[in-house]
């Protein structure tokens, strides 16, 4: 899933918009007994019943249910690789996603798609760049708490040492290894001419990587973390010009690890860094209270989110407040009916904040800046 998918789902769609979230299983008894298929079947029953309660006609209900029923009946589509399945259905759209998020089973019918449970996949401020360094292969990834995606670098970054220092590198490397075998490990670890020449070639290679990286990351402010052998990482740091290079690195042969193993190892190094950033935002909320830069009132936060003026949004998991907002009169009305024209107000705040570059933290009640409030915000200047 990409940010563009959120933009598409958040756009104008014909009502009703049905959102279905459910957990899935990759292995075990639940798979063998078809628990996931049965769960979706029951969720579809809920959708049909709720659509009927909202007085949609049988033709509309059948049309919306058809692609879900096809998925239930398709045996080959029930081999899941992730922990969660989400479906979005409207008269003009049908999209499904498998994501590494363990969703609670729920169905939401509104005039908009309900996107709040997807936010942990996109938590702003919890993404970073991973550069894996090997002399014969260089890769670049965008990494998050639950995701890793390779970034296209062809023609921008030299992916092999030969591409940067010339094709005589392989012959030199063979000669160097032959000398190692003849004279022992002491030659590699000493200060011999062969080692210094090799270091210079590696440094030249890494400077080429840094130049290409600068063009790719020119608009980035996210941390850059390196993965590779300790000796080569120390050389790369001499070549680096990226302003947010993370001090710690992942010590490994990157090609020995799967992308999921790289993601997990790198995330463990950076997890405390992101916790610190969240704590700094919580402290900022307390510091800015009574200055007009913060709010814990939903009727103040909704219009500010729509206007793109929310810097940071703290919102409780499972906030269940519906209502309508009239931007012309700046009028917010809370509704006790979970149906059109009312919409989930947490969705209104979260989607607008996310798409306009704000940070979002989904939190438990006692973690909130003000535990008695379901939403809190820091506003931009």
């Amino acid at each position: 899933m990409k940010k563009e998918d959120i933009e598409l789902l958040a756009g104008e769609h014909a009502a009703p918009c049905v959102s279905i979230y459910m957990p899935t299983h990759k292995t075990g008894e639940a798979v063998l007994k078809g628990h996931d298929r049965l769960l979706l079947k029951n969720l579809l029953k809920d959708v049909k019943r709720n659509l009927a309660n909202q007085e949609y006609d049988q033709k509309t209900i059948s049309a919306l249910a058809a692609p879900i029923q096809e998925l239930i009946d398709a045996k080959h589509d029930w081999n899941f690789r992730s922990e969660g399945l989400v479906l979005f259905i409207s008269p003009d759209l049908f999209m499904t996603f498998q994501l590494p998020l363990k969703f609670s089973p729920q169905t939401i019918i509104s005039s908009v798609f309900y996107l709040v449970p997807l936010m942990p996949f996109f938590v702003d401020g919890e993404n970073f760049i991973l550069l894996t360094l090997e002399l014969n292969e260089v890769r670049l990834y965008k990494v998050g708490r639950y995701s890793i995606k390779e970034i296209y670098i062809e023609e921008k970054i030299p992916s092999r040492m030969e591409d940067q220092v010339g094709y005589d590198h392989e012959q030199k490397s063979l000669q160097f290894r032959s000398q190692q075998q003849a004279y022992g490990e002491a030659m590699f670890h000493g200060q011999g001419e062969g080692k210094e020449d090799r270091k210079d070639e590696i440094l030249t290679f890494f400077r080429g990587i840094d130049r290409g990286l600068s063009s790719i990351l020119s608009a980035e402010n996210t941390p850059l973390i390196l993965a590779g052998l300790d000796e080569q990482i120390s050389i790369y740091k001499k070549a680096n010009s990226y302003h947010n290079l993370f001090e710690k690195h992942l010590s490994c042969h990157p090609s020995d690890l799967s992308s999921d193993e790289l993601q997990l190892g790198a995330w463990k190094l950076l997890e405390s860094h992101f916790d610190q950033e969240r704590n700094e935002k919580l402290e900022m909320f307390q510091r800015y209270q009574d200055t007009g830069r913060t709010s814990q009132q939903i009727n103040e936060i909704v219009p500010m989110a729509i206007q793109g003026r929310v810097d940071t949004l703290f919102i409780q998991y499972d906030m269940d407040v519906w209502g309508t907002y009239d931007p012309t009169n700046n009028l917010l009305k809370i509704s006790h009916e979970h149906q059109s024209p009312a919409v989930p107000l947490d969705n209104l705040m979260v989607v607008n904040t996310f798409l306009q570059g704000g940070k979002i933290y989904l939190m438990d009640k006692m973690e909130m800046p003000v535990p008695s409030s379901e939403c809190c915000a820091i506003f931009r200047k």
Side-chain angles (χ1 to χ4, degrees), residues 64 92 123 165 171 276 374:
L64 290 168
D92 60 7
V123 173
V165 302
Q171 183 62 34
Q276 179 183 351
E374 292 182 297

Side-chain angles (χ1 to χ4, degrees), residues 218-264:
S218 59
E220 288 281 355
N221 190 40
T222 52
L224 170 65
I225 189 167
L226 306 175
L229 300 179
D230 295 344
E231 183 177 10
Q232 293 176 11
I233 295 295
S234 66
I235 297 174
Y236 185 86
K237 288 182 177 180
K238 296 176 182 178
N240 175 71
S241 63
Y242 184 65
H243 65 283
N244 200 6
L245 178 65
F246 195 65
E247 181 180 357
K248 296 179 181 179
H249 67 275
L250 190 61
S251 181
C252 64
H253 282 283
S255 58
D256 291 343
L257 303 180
S258 68
S259 59
D260 287 343
E261 289 170 330
L262 287 168
Q263 183 273 333
L264 182 60

